Every structure is written in C-alpha cells, then in structure tokens.
Amino acid sequence: MSVNDAKSAPADPTAAEAVAGNGLEYRVIDTADAAVFDPYLQAEMRGFLAGEQSDQQLGGMRDGLSFRRFVGIYDPASLDPAQPVGTVNSWVADLSLPGRRGLPMWAISGVTVAPTHRRRGIARAMLEGELRTAAAAGVAIAGLTVSEATIYGRFGFAPATYATDWSIETKRAVWIGPRPDGRLDFIDRARLRDELPALHDRVRADRPGEIAVWPGLWRRMAGLAPGQEGGDKLRAVRYADRAGATRGLAVYRLGDEDSDFTKHELHLQYLLTETDDAYASLWRFALEHDLVSTVKAQLRSVDEPLRWMIADQRSTKVETGEHGWLRILDVPAVLGARSYPVAGSFRLRVEDPLGFADGTWMLAVDASGSASVSASEGTPDARLSVNALSSLVLGGVRASTLRAAGMVTADEATVQRLDAVFASAQVPYLSVWY
Ligand SMILES: CC(C)(COP(=O)(O)OP(=O)(O)OC[C@H]1O[C@@H](n2cnc3c(N)ncnc32)[C@H](O)[C@@H]1OP(=O)(O)O)[C@@H](O)C(=O)NCCC(=O)NCCS
C-alpha cells in the first residue's frame, strides 16, 4: 500500500474482535455506495450535535470526503442498523516538520460514538484500531484536532501546536505598523477557493505543525460547500505585491451590530500570508475597516507580529489553547525526519503502554542538523512518555517545561541540551481544524 492511500488499508481485526464482544460490527465502509455513506454521514453529524443533513449537504460531503478511509461500528440489533453507532475517518496528510521537512501523517477525524452507546469502549476500539492500521501501513505519526482535551492523552496523543483566539477593540488598537505598497482587492469566493491551495502549499513548507489541506476544506473556507449555511456572508480580500502576485488572502464576515451601525464585529475567518507585507496590509485592512468596533480572529499563531503593529496592546484579549495533537508511532522515523538547529546526542527511554514507540532510542544529531536514530541499550539520559516526546518533536514545547511538570526525567544539563537541540526556528502552528 502506498502511504498516501489510507483507503486501501484493511479493517483492523483486533478492533473488530473488541467490539464483537458487545455484539457490534467493525466495518471499513464503501464510500462509493451512497446507501451506506449517507446514513454514516448522518450519524457522524449527529455525533457532533448537528441537525439532520439535507440531500444537498450529503452530496457535498460525499464529494468532498470520499478520499478518506471511513470506519463504522454497527449495531445489528439497532432499529436503524444502517446508521453506525461509532464513526472515525482517516487519511494520510503531509505534516510539516522543522527545517522545511515533511512527513506523512495519519490524520484522524470524525470520531463519534452515539450517545446511546457511550462508554462501552467503542472509541477506544476505534482509536487503537486507527493507530495499529497506521503503523501497519508504515505511517510514523498520527495527528488530530480535538473537541475536548481530555480524551486523547490515554492513546498517546499530546499537544504539539498551540493557537490563539483574538478579540481586538479597533478604536483603541490604532495601527502603527508598516503600510506596504502592494494592493488589496476584493475577490469572489470561487477565486478564493482556487487561490488558497497554492498559497497554503508555499506557506506550510516553512511552518512546522501545518498539514496539507484537502480541497473540500478550501471549498468550505470559501463558503462554497453545497448547502453551507452563511457562505454568502463571507467576503474575501487578496493582497498582491507590486508585481501582481498573490501574497496573502483573507476571508471574513461581518457580525450583526446591536443597534449602533458603527459597532459591527468583523470575524476574520482565515488569514493566510506569505510575506510580512501581506500580513501587515491585511491586518490593517481588518482593523481600520469602517463601521467595525471589534475584530475577532481564531486559530492564530502564539507569536503574532500583530502585537507590535498596534499602539495599545491592551486593546486585545488573547486566549491560548492547545490545537494540533500528535502521536508518534515510529520513533526513529519521526525523530530522523526533522532537522535540528545544533548537534547533540541523547539516549531516550520512551514509555508507550500501547507499545508502538516503546523502547530506548539513541538520537544522534550531527553538525548539519541531521539525525540518526536507533534502538539502544544502556542507561538513558532522559525518560519520558510517548505523549511528552510527541509534544517536543515540533519544537514548540520545551523539555525543561515538561520536566518542571514532571513529564520528563533528566538532569539539568541534559534538559538544557534537549531544549537547544529540539528548538525550532519557526514557531509551530496549525491554521486549520481537521
Ligand atoms: C468522546 C467519545 C467519542 C467517547 O466515546 P466512548 O465510546 O464513550 O468512549 P470509550 O467508552 O471508548 O472510552 C474510552 C476512554 O475514554 C474516556 N472518555 C471517553 N469520553 C471522554 C470524555 N469526553 N472526556 C474524558 N474522557 C473520556 C473513557 O472514560 C475511557 O477511559 P479509560 O478507557 O481510560 O477508562 C463520545 O463521547 C462522543 O462521540 N462525543 C461527542 C463527539 C466528540 O466529542 N468526539 C470527539 C471528536 S475530537
């Protein structure tokens, strides 16, 4: 199987056996068969508390998502046995690593269990099944974004990128940043959908934590998914440099004002920029938009230059939260795939109750920043869980922080070397939900 093709991975027999004990069936579904896929999608959407989907919406989802592998847990005794009681889907997406490197990642999404069947081990069977399937397919790392931060640690996942949500009072903020000489133009949403992929591909190469995005998400980002509510409220703006090349795209919607027409909220739905000029110009556009008193933006980086482009940093409220979760499956493949800013070597004892990453590993980084990793014996320099290593791998979380939190055991000198070797020049950042 090509690692780019999760769909052809077979059903996991261990997970099938685990749910069979409860009279349930584990199936990899045929997404080409709408009679199977539609009830599946209805069950998944119900799991995320959405209403019943229209035929138009289902058609859009079939079209946008059928590249993925969909697993359903079915209850033959149910009144509607065509609707699964558990759902999970997965695909292989390129994950950006420090040093402009990339690695195929087993992306997991759509994890739901019907409230009628909760807390019987269905999610556990599905998730462990995903990890075994990914490992068997030769994919070295799994990733997901989460609805609740309390679910996935037990499966070895841990936060590797953080994100910020912003609320900015425009009157107080006052733009003091650069005023670049490129130009801004409104573009229609079809053009936005068509321009986002290439810009994102260029930007993500240099952003550890970002993943390759599937076309259906760009369509939704542009408000063009079939039956998508509120799509027509989105506006898109492009920043082009002096040569006319697209360097930044922003999509936003204006919220309703109460009674005062000068107090609209501008919701920056997505802002993607390739250059400092595009970044400054599009933020300034949002903050100086007439009739707007508040700008809100979600999923921004933890290190936004915007702070330094406004006169009053206290005009902002910023909330930080974990966002991109990773789970290492193959330690040599993952640690060997990124590059490192300085040389160093460590013997790491990694604990993984599910076995995939468990072992003692020698990580040797040479002066060029390339690593070789091999199984090793002898006294480790540091002990840590697979969760802790998964948090460290992008360089956005420091070993010394995890040591203070009791998650890494090592002496002071080792932890300082770990901080230096695992650091990333670019702040890890994932700009989408998946
Ligand atoms: C979250 C959800 C998938 C859990 O499904 P489930 O089949 O009830 O979970 P399981 O019975 O397999 O439980 C597995 C473990 O996770 C724990 N767990 C399950 N849901 C949890 C939650 N919401 N918070 C904390 N722990 C949770 C269980 O206690 C159990 O722990 P243990 O095995 O270590 O003792 C399900 O409640 C659901 O569909 N929720 C709504 C949709 C959602 O939030 N999906 C997650 C998308 S990121």
Side-chain angles (χ1 to χ4, degrees):
M1 185 188 92
S2 143
V3 290
N4 292 318
D5 178 18
K7 261 186 105 87
S8 60
D12 177 63
T14 311
E17 204 177 305
V19 299
N22 280 331
L24 305 173
E25 290 171 13
Y26 175 103
R27 291 185 211 147
V28 179
I29 70 156
D30 177 7
T31 54
D33 184 349
V36 172
F37 202 13
D38 283 359
Y40 182 103
L41 292 167
Q42 293 286 17
E44 180 183 317
M45 295 308 285
R46 185 182 58 199
F48 284 117
L49 314 185
E52 198 171 320
Q53 302 297 293
S54 67
D55 286 345
Q56 190 191 18
Q57 288 169 318
L58 288 171
M61 283 192 268
R62 281 200 307 271
D63 171 52
L65 297 174
S66 58
F67 70 96
R68 299 184 186 177
R69 175 178 189 269
F70 283 81
V71 167
I73 307 295
Y74 289 85
D75 182 351
S78 143
L79 287 180
D80 182 1
Q83 278 211 352
V85 296
T87 66
V88 60
N89 67 71
S90 47
W91 70 104
V92 178
D94 195 54
L95 168 71
S96 301
L97 297 178
R100 296 184 69 84
R101 306 277 182 91
L103 183 67
M105 181 192 81
W106 193 266
I108 297 174
S109 187
V111 179
T112 73
V113 171
T116 48
H117 288 65
R118 68 195 284 278
R119 307 302 182 266
R120 300 181 199 176
I122 294 177
R124 177 174 284 280
M126 294 194 302
L127 281 156
E128 292 184 4
E130 288 301 310
L131 298 179
R132 277 189 298 269
T133 304
V139 178
I141 194 162
L144 40 73
T145 55
V146 311
S147 59
E148 280 186 276
T150 46
I151 303 172
Y152 295 102
R154 59 174 54 74
F155 304 113
F157 289 88
T161 67
Y162 283 73
T164 51
D165 290 350
W166 290 64
S167 177
I168 309 161
E169 281 178 63
T170 57
K171 270 220 170 70
R172 279 181 71 184
V174 182
W175 188 260
I176 57 166
R179 294 160 185 261
D181 62 0
R183 57 174 296 139
L184 292 178
D185 289 288
F186 279 106
I187 54 171
D188 65 33
R189 291 182 290 130
R191 181 164 181 169
L192 174 74
R193 176 199 59 204
D194 294 344
E195 290 213 21
L196 276 167
L199 183 62
H200 187 259
D201 278 344
R202 294 199 298 275
V203 169
R204 77 182 164 88
D206 210 18
R207 244 191 215 172
E210 200 76 83
I211 66 163
V213 169
W214 64 102
L217 184 61
W218 296 133
R219 186 172 68 170
R220 180 158 290 281
M221 203 77 92
L224 292 169
Q228 183 177 346
E229 275 174 33
D232 56 350
K233 293 203 163 57
L234 299 178
R235 303 279 178 200
V237 183
R238 173 184 84 133
Y239 175 86
D241 62 19
R242 264 204 260 169
T246 298
R247 299 296 180 193
L249 295 164
V251 54
Y252 67 95
R253 70 179 167 82
L254 291 163
D256 295 331
E257 91 287 6
D258 275 343
S259 54
D260 184 342
F261 201 70
T262 64
K263 291 200 170 146
H264 284 79
E265 278 185 0
L266 187 152
H267 297 260
L268 198 52
Q269 307 284 103
Y270 196 63
L271 170 66
L272 181 66
T273 56
E274 186 180 12
T275 60
D276 293 343
D277 281 357
Y279 179 90
S281 198
L282 286 164
W283 265 118
R284 183 177 164 223
F285 168 86
L287 292 178
E288 292 189 344
H289 197 296
D290 286 320
L291 306 176
V292 165
S293 58
T294 309
V295 171
K296 293 195 167 171
Q298 295 187 328
L299 286 196
R300 300 302 312 166
S301 167
V302 291
D303 190 25
E304 288 286 326
L306 174 66
R307 286 184 198 282
W308 309 97
M309 296 174 164
I310 52 179
D312 184 352
Q313 294 200 10
R314 291 192 188 175
S315 64
T316 67
K317 287 200 185 84
V318 186
E319 283 180 19
T320 306
E322 37 63 39
H323 180 49
W325 291 58
L326 295 178
R327 201 286 183 211
I328 293 175
L329 295 164
D330 179 334
V331 174
V334 174
L335 294 189
R338 63 161 283 187
S339 77
Y340 299 81
V342 292
S345 61
F346 308 91
R347 190 175 285 127
L348 303 173
R349 173 73 184 103
V350 180
E351 275 148 22
D352 180 358
L354 294 180
F356 302 104
D358 202 73
T360 303
W361 307 98
M362 190 69 205
L363 165 67
V365 178
D366 65 20
S368 74
S370 292
S372 63
V373 189
S374 54
S376 172
E377 294 189 349
T379 311
D381 303 300
R383 291 176 179 274
L384 69 177
S385 64
V386 64
N387 308 64
L389 188 63
S390 300
S391 285
L392 295 180
V393 67
L394 297 181
V397 176
R398 288 171 2 125
S400 53
T401 307
L402 296 188
R403 178 176 177 250
M407 293 172 64
V408 170
T409 306
D411 63 29
E412 182 61 33
T414 302
V415 97
Q416 280 182 16
R417 285 194 303 119
L418 280 168
D419 282 354
V421 171
F422 274 81
S424 165
Q426 286 77 27
V427 175
Y429 172 42
L430 168 66
S431 65
V432 297
W433 289 100
Y434 66 92

